[in-house]
Amino acid sequence: MRRSKPKSPSPVAQTPAAVHQHLEHFYRKSAQDYERWLISCRQGLSRKPVHQLRASIRRLLACLELLEISRPARPAVRGKLRRQLLLLGGLRDTQVQLRCVKAERRFATTLRPLLELLRRRERRLAKAVLKGLHSDQTLHRLKRQRATKEPDLRHLIPRLRRLIDHKLQQAFDPLGSFSRSRPVDGKAHHRIRVLAREYRCLMEALPPDWRRGDTGLLLSTLGPFQEIIGQIHDREVLRHRIGHWIAAGKLPADTFQAFGDQLQSENSALLEACGNLDRPVFHAAMLALRQIRRPRVSPAGQRFPAAVPPPPG
């Protein structure tokens, strides 16, 4: 007779100490990834190191936010990490725009002035980013500072659940008001993308069993949704950049009309595709929210309260 594999423990069966230990391990690994890609970016700011450093910063921010629930004396680096993320953002956008413009071969001759302006912008931003990364002391703080207090694990699980509840509502409630009769602009979608990415990073920092069931369904649904919103945002930023340079007299308006129309047409198609995903993502988010709010029982038999949104402020 075949023996069935033992089921992996669910979040209800995990002790607060085990969850905290996992978060500490994830924090150390994220700090190592951050150091690796920071060193790589200091050596050269190609697209991959820039993208990976931004991703490692987001993971660190998510883990620090989770760890502050049980151990507030974390290194005070969240502000510095956010500034790095902002510094790298402009360079990343310019690199994506260069890639987009280079791919438009039928406009190759017309877009040469734009390519040159984007290359100059990339060089200028790269110089500023390198200066900022070399002078920044965030890595030194992450290595040097250690929490000295014992973690307070008494309310870790319910507080984690309240935080996840809040992040879910913050990111996905706006989707409930979207309708086909009132199209959603790219800015509103991009805001949801940013908040959904924060939620995803939090869930990825938690033990794997927190990502099962309805939460796992939502995370799998988010992939194509966020990819489409990202493409919409990239095109909008490029159109804004072109408009800025036209207004400044650096590009001729008539020359870029056809390319601008194409970007607008592509975004319209992407917005329609995104609109088809709004409802499934919102539905998956509501299921995940219901799963998080469901009262659970700890290994000791103590009943965890259903999560509620934190008070404003």
Side-chain angles (χ1 to χ4, degrees):
M1 181 177 178
R2 292 179 61 185
R3 296 177 61 184
S4 59
K5 294 183 179 180
K7 293 182 179 180
S8 57
S10 68
V12 294
Q14 291 177 333
T15 64
V19 174
H20 181 79
Q21 185 179 14
H22 172 88
L23 291 175
E24 290 280 5
H25 174 75
F26 189 88
Y27 171 75
R28 290 191 295 271
K29 183 179 182 302
S30 299
Q32 290 170 358
D33 289 343
Y34 169 79
E35 180 179 13
R36 172 192 173 190
W37 292 111
L38 178 64
I39 292 172
S40 182
C41 279
R42 285 173 173 173
Q43 295 171 346
L45 290 166
S46 58
R47 278 205 330 269
K48 182 177 179 179
V50 169
H51 170 75
Q52 293 293 349
L53 180 58
R54 281 165 54 82
S56 66
I57 289 173
R58 291 194 187 98
R59 286 193 292 269
L60 264 176
L61 286 169
C63 195
L64 285 167
E65 186 172 5
L66 292 169
L67 279 168
E68 282 183 0
I69 294 175
S70 58
R71 186 174 277 182
R74 283 277 130 194
V77 294
R78 287 173 67 179
K80 288 183 174 291
L81 288 170
R82 288 195 181 96
R83 283 193 289 274
Q84 284 188 353
L85 201 59
L86 184 64
L87 184 67
L88 290 159
L91 178 60
R92 179 265 176 198
D93 285 346
T94 304
Q95 289 175 335
V96 170
Q97 290 161 16
L98 273 167
R99 184 181 179 185
C100 177
V101 173
K102 287 177 182 178
E104 295 295 339
R105 299 193 179 278
R106 65 193 181 103
F107 295 114
T109 303
T110 305
L111 297 180
R112 281 177 187 170
L114 176 60
L115 272 175
E116 183 55 34
L117 286 172
L118 286 171
R119 288 189 180 112
R120 289 181 196 171
R121 179 175 171 80
E122 182 187 29
R123 289 193 293 268
R124 184 174 70 254
L125 291 173
K127 185 177 179 180
V129 168
L130 280 175
K131 182 180 179 181
L133 293 182
H134 278 291
S135 62
D136 195 277
Q137 296 298 310
T138 303
L139 179 61
H140 177 67
R141 288 197 178 194
L142 285 170
K143 285 184 171 182
R144 180 168 169 253
Q145 297 189 35
R146 294 289 184 271
T148 55
K149 297 180 180 179
E150 285 298 314
D152 180 7
L153 305 179
R154 291 171 298 171
H155 307 292
L156 176 63
I157 302 297
R159 285 176 178 172
L160 285 175
R161 288 161 60 78
R162 282 197 294 270
L163 176 62
I164 295 168
D165 181 323
H166 176 61
K167 292 289 184 179
L168 264 170
Q169 289 187 85
Q170 187 181 39
F172 301 111
D173 274 3
L175 284 176
S177 63
F178 294 175
S179 67
R180 296 209 176 258
S181 60
R182 189 178 61 173
V184 185
D185 63 19
K187 289 183 180 179
H189 265 128
H190 178 64
R191 177 62 180 161
I192 293 171
R193 181 194 181 212
V194 171
L195 295 171
R197 189 167 54 202
E198 290 180 5
Y199 163 77
R200 178 189 283 276
C201 287
L202 283 177
M203 296 310 302
E204 289 174 349
L206 287 166
D209 288 317
W210 287 68
R211 303 191 289 275
R212 301 195 318 179
D214 294 327
T215 298
L217 171 65
L218 172 58
L219 292 173
S220 65
T221 308
L222 277 180
F225 178 72
Q226 291 182 294
E227 177 66 25
I228 292 176
I229 297 175
Q231 292 178 30
I232 293 170
H233 177 69
D234 290 336
R235 284 167 173 78
E236 285 188 340
V237 172
L238 178 56
R239 289 179 66 237
H240 175 77
R241 176 59 48 192
I242 291 172
H244 173 76
W245 279 331
I246 288 174
K250 296 181 179 181
L251 292 173
D254 54 344
T255 305
F256 287 88
Q257 183 65 45
F259 182 54
D261 290 344
Q262 176 179 307
L263 290 175
Q264 180 63 41
S265 175
E266 290 173 355
N267 257 8
S268 297
L270 288 168
L271 276 169
E272 184 175 352
C274 196
N276 293 331
L277 290 173
D278 283 345
R279 291 298 175 183
V281 171
F282 176 72
H283 178 66
M286 291 302 100
L287 291 176
L289 196 62
R290 191 180 307 165
Q291 175 181 315
I292 289 296
R293 288 178 171 178
R294 191 175 301 132
R296 304 196 179 194
V297 179
S298 71
Q302 177 188 0
R303 196 169 181 82
F304 292 140
V308 295

